Amino acid sequence: MTASLLITSWRDHLLNGRRRSEHTIRAYVATAERLAAFLQDHRGGAVDRALLVSLEPADLRAFLAARRGDGIGNASAARELSAVRNFLQFVAGEGGTIPRLKGPRVKRGVPRPISPDEAVALAGDVADQARAPWIGARDWAVLLLLYGAGLRIGEAMGLTGAVLPLGETLSVTGKRNKTRIVPLLPQVRQAIDDYVALCPHALAKDQPLFRGARGGPLSPALIRRVVQRSRGRLGLSDRTTPHALRHSFATHLLGRGADLRALQELLGHASLSSTQIYTAVDAAHLMDVYRNAHPRA
């Protein structure tokens, strides 16, 4: 079987068998296609299943070296290697072996939260700049969901009319189709109710809750774009993104004494280690306070 057919089969497997997100699938498929193109020149022949199962660690090192030549860093190289391993394991089949290669060391970055005042100011500015009242109410509701409930932007966009009428909690489907329950602050519920009351489009139970101007599903890219414009007007850091609102939600809860396990559930993290990164955020904040306030700092 040719590499092209194998990549197509792998894509279907990721979509239907593993239920990976569209973003992850696009990135993985692009990596597999880059690997196939590289091997065609590197090995000097057609790339098929026989060639792929015969690869050695040296072949993968050469591929990563070529990608380094394209200018990617350690984090991107690690993601490329992860995608390649996944693809080759699919090609090799159950029980098959793939080349063992240690990935590059990646220094884990610390999320940069924004203050509660900045989060509210950002959401308010975005809403004020909207071209119609219902669009302003929509954007305000979306951004309050990210900050007030810790949702990922894709999770907010995945909500449907079935969540209405709202209660004190919300069922959210996150990564790998995992469902969790998150509490809704009264302010967040009110923001969504205000949007629903103003929205000119019918919000059927099987249709997206948040709609674009013409009634289609609201694009995450649009929210990212309006946030980018707003942070420029407000003089906020380039790190102020929709996802930064989720980081801020986690950091502020932790700073108020939230338990790590409870925070893990609220964020929908599969591993506690993913949540523990926020302890570094809180420690960094304390150090900033110390340096700014202590007379001997």
Side-chain angles (χ1 to χ4, degrees):
M1 185 179 290
T2 66
S4 178
L5 290 176
L6 286 167
I7 292 171
T8 299
S9 297
W10 181 51
R11 181 193 181 283
D12 293 341
H13 169 71
L14 292 173
L15 180 62
N16 301 317
R18 302 294 298 278
R19 297 187 180 276
R20 294 295 180 91
S21 71
E22 291 184 9
H23 175 77
T24 298
I25 292 171
R26 281 197 303 271
Y28 271 31
V29 167
T31 296
E33 290 171 345
R34 283 192 289 269
L35 175 67
F38 168 79
L39 290 174
Q40 190 163 0
D41 292 334
H42 182 66
R43 285 291 195 95
V47 179
D48 54 15
R49 185 180 184 279
L51 185 147
L52 290 169
V53 298
S54 71
L55 292 180
E56 300 289 339
D59 296 309
L60 299 191
R61 279 194 291 270
F63 171 68
L64 288 181
R67 293 293 291 133
R68 291 283 199 181
D70 294 334
I72 68 171
N74 278 6
S76 294
R79 285 193 293 269
E80 291 271 295
L81 183 57
S82 175
V84 165
R85 285 170 175 157
N86 192 302
F87 175 56
L88 293 181
Q89 191 62 67
F90 173 80
V91 172
E94 188 174 350
T97 59
I98 62 173
R100 296 177 63 87
L101 183 64
K102 189 175 181 179
R105 296 185 63 180
V106 180
K107 183 179 179 181
R108 196 166 192 182
V110 175
R112 301 286 183 176
I114 61 177
S115 73
D117 287 344
E118 288 173 337
V120 173
L122 178 73
D125 184 77
V126 168
D128 290 343
Q129 296 297 320
R131 60 182 180 177
W134 79 268
I135 292 178
R138 176 201 68 191
D139 294 348
W140 171 259
V142 168
L143 295 178
L144 283 199
L145 260 178
L146 304 187
Y147 176 65
L151 270 63
R152 301 176 178 93
I153 190 169
E155 293 170 345
M157 298 301 98
L159 296 175
T160 68
V163 302
L164 302 174
L166 294 170
E168 293 187 349
T169 61
L170 185 67
S171 177
V172 178
T173 301
K175 288 185 175 181
R176 303 195 179 183
N177 225 28
K178 183 180 177 181
T179 300
R180 68 184 188 278
I181 302 297
V182 298
L184 284 180
L185 294 170
Q187 298 93 323
V188 177
R189 291 203 306 272
Q190 187 62 55
I192 297 173
D193 286 341
D194 290 345
Y195 156 69
V196 170
L198 292 172
C199 183
H201 307 292
L203 301 176
K205 290 186 178 297
D206 59 346
Q207 295 296 316
L209 175 63
F210 295 110
R211 303 297 186 83
R214 298 181 180 178
L218 178 60
S219 167
L222 187 148
I223 297 297
R224 294 188 183 99
R225 194 156 55 243
V226 296
V227 166
Q228 182 180 17
R229 293 171 185 159
S230 180
R231 76 185 181 213
R233 288 190 296 268
L234 297 176
L236 299 178
S237 164
D238 288 346
R239 292 178 179 271
T240 305
T241 63
H243 202 66
L245 295 175
R246 173 175 157 89
H247 290 320
S248 299
F249 163 84
T251 305
H252 299 158
L253 283 184
L254 188 64
R256 293 295 185 92
D259 175 77
L260 267 181
R261 286 288 182 187
L263 191 56
Q264 177 187 359
E265 290 297 321
L266 288 172
L267 292 170
H269 285 159
S271 168
L272 185 61
S273 63
S274 298
T275 311
Q276 285 173 328
I277 189 171
Y278 291 102
T279 61
V281 174
D282 198 46
H285 172 69
L286 290 175
M287 286 303 297
D288 286 341
V289 171
Y290 173 81
R291 292 190 187 100
N292 291 331
H294 197 284
R296 299 288 184 181

